[in-house]
Amino acid sequence: QVQLVESGGGLVQAGGSLRLSCAASGNIFSIGAMGWYRQAPGKQRELVAVITNGGRTKYADSLKGRFTISRDNAKNTVDLQMNSLKPEDTAVYYCNADLYDDSFENYDYWGQGTQVTVSS
């Protein structure tokens, strides 16, 4: 069984920063891409950023320069540093991982989500 557990969400004023962390644990053989998505009320879930196990990154165009994704392959963790936060960044943020478990089955796993609220 594999779990993705997020932490680091909360309430912050506009212009502030937050750092989200996600740790994958369980019967993991290998992890490919890891990423962060978000879903605001009444909107579809959207990509925030993704990072490969080789360190290549991709960001939503609107977030480039404010958000930075990083990962630690040895610890199976992925972080999202969010700076200059805006009220429109308010959403539930979800961690995602494309991984093989120890039965060599490929799955797309999601965390439970962490709330980020940016006040104006």
Side-chain angles (χ1 to χ4, degrees):
Q1 188 175 358
V2 175
Q3 283 187 315
L4 298 183
V5 179
E6 300 118 332
S7 60
L11 173 65
V12 64
Q13 287 189 330
S17 298
L18 280 175
R19 188 176 183 88
L20 306 182
S21 295
C22 173
S25 63
N27 302 327
I28 298 169
F29 175 72
S30 67
I31 303 178
M34 300 184 80
W36 289 93
Y37 293 72
R38 68 184 185 184
Q39 188 167 18
K43 295 187 177 181
Q44 289 188 329
R45 191 172 298 188
E46 63 177 359
L47 171 72
V48 174
V50 64
I51 184 168
T52 69
N53 54 14
R56 294 182 64 182
T57 59
K58 177 180 174 64
Y59 295 90
D61 287 341
S62 62
L63 301 177
K64 287 180 181 178
R66 294 196 296 123
F67 289 15
T68 303
I69 190 169
S70 60
R71 68 187 282 175
D72 185 328
N73 291 333
K75 297 180 179 179
N76 291 337
T77 58
V78 60
D79 292 345
L80 184 69
Q81 178 66 42
M82 305 184 293
N83 298 327
S84 302
L85 284 162
K86 304 175 181 180
E88 51 263 43
D89 294 319
T90 296
V92 178
Y93 284 69
Y94 295 91
C95 175
N96 173 265
D98 176 31
L99 63 84
Y100 283 86
D101 65 14
D102 58 3
S103 298
F104 306 112
E105 296 288 336
N106 180 236
Y107 295 100
D108 193 38
Y109 276 91
W110 292 90
Q112 80 284 358
T114 186
Q115 177 70 46
V116 171
T117 303
V118 184
S119 63
S120 57

